[in-house]
Amino acid sequence: MVFRHCFVASNMIVFLAFGCSSGANSSIENTTQFVQESNVTQLFIEAKATQKAEDLFHQGNHLLDGQLYEDAIKAYDKAIAIKVENPEAWINRGIALTSLQRYQDALVSYDKAIAIKPDKYEAWYNRGIALTSLHRYQDALASYDKAIATKPNKYEALINRGITLTKLHRYQDAIASYNRAIAIKPDLHQAYYNKACSYALQSNLELTIENLDKAIKFVPDKYKKLAKTDPDFSKVRSEKQFQELLQ
């Protein structure tokens, strides 16, 4: 079974408006002019800091995409030091930490993002992945449920939710989750493969073959290779029909 991260790429456009009055003669007008100029200066400083944080965020994304995870974390840390209320930077920092198998640290990052923006789908989704990696399946399930409540049509969360349910030996619930994903995206080969895994774990050869065959038709080489060694198929691997399907 396979699951994947949900990467956040965000662009921020800073609009800075300058407005100044002219012809100030009285002391009151001069005072007002001075306050406006001070506000403009402050806005300019804040905009410059925001842009710096955004540049570091994009730098981190580039490093993350290049699998340079330690360097990506450093870039995100610098971005967060400038702008701590940045859920996207916290999420992608968590992904880098997850990629380094530093799951507990990743959870801290995801929780920071959620504290800033409680309905952030990517934070709940990737938090589920970290919790699954820690074998905290009940907690992972709760995270995926939060992600799905935020964005019901995100089939990735439904697939990962199914994997978590399978780990909890709740096979019928897992299959229902995969079916919901397939209803959103009918050509979702990962869901058919994982359904096959769930059926195999129940020694249901007929439905294992049916679903594995569908996955193989979409991506033949990948799923034939996976199925040959995936421990989820150990109960049916010796069956003739299963062997023939992998030829």
Side-chain angles (χ1 to χ4, degrees), residues 78-95:
K78 290 177 182 177
I80 291 163
I82 297 169
K83 186 183 177 185
V84 69
E85 300 290 305
N86 186 344
E88 289 81 12
W90 284 112
I91 291 166
N92 288 0
R93 181 180 185 270
I95 291 172

Side-chain angles (χ1 to χ4, degrees), residues 172-219:
Q172 293 305 315
D173 291 334
I175 290 163
S177 198
Y178 298 137
N179 284 338
R180 286 175 62 188
I182 290 166
I184 296 166
K185 187 174 171 57
D187 62 347
L188 197 56
H189 48 83
Q190 300 98 324
Y192 287 114
Y193 180 83
N194 288 339
K195 275 181 70 179
C197 291
S198 293
Y199 283 120
L201 289 164
Q202 298 174 84
S203 302
N204 189 327
L205 178 62
E206 181 181 353
L207 290 177
T208 297
I209 296 295
E210 178 183 320
N211 285 278
L212 183 56
D213 183 50
K214 289 178 181 178
I216 288 170
K217 283 177 178 175
F218 284 115
V219 192

Side-chain angles (χ1 to χ4, degrees), residues 144-152:
Y144 291 131
D145 283 343
K146 286 278 193 179
I148 293 162
T150 302
K151 292 190 177 181

Side-chain angles (χ1 to χ4, degrees), residues 69-166:
Y69 303 122
E70 295 283 5
D71 292 334
I73 291 165
K74 291 176 184 176
Y76 293 133
D77 283 344
K78 290 177 182 177
I80 291 163
I82 297 169
K83 186 183 177 185
V84 69
E85 300 290 305
N86 186 344
E88 289 81 12
W90 284 112
I91 291 166
N92 288 0
R93 181 180 185 270
I95 291 172
L97 288 162
T98 299
S99 300
L100 293 169
Q101 299 182 9
R102 292 170 57 185
Y103 304 120
Q104 291 290 355
D105 293 333
L107 286 175
V108 173
S109 274
Y110 299 137
D111 287 343
K112 289 279 191 180
I114 290 165
I116 297 165
K117 192 171 176 59
D119 62 348
K120 194 69 174 173
Y121 165 83
E122 295 86 353
W124 287 112
Y125 175 86
N126 288 308
R127 186 176 186 270
I129 291 174
L131 288 163
T132 301
S133 300
L134 290 167
H135 308 292
R136 291 171 55 183
Y137 301 124
Q138 289 288 359
D139 293 333
L141 181 61
S143 280
Y144 291 131
D145 283 343
K146 286 278 193 179
I148 293 162
T150 302
K151 292 190 177 181
N153 290 327
K154 285 287 188 177
Y155 58 83
E156 299 93 341
L158 287 163
I159 290 176
N160 286 6
R161 180 177 184 272
I163 292 170
T164 302
L165 287 162
T166 300

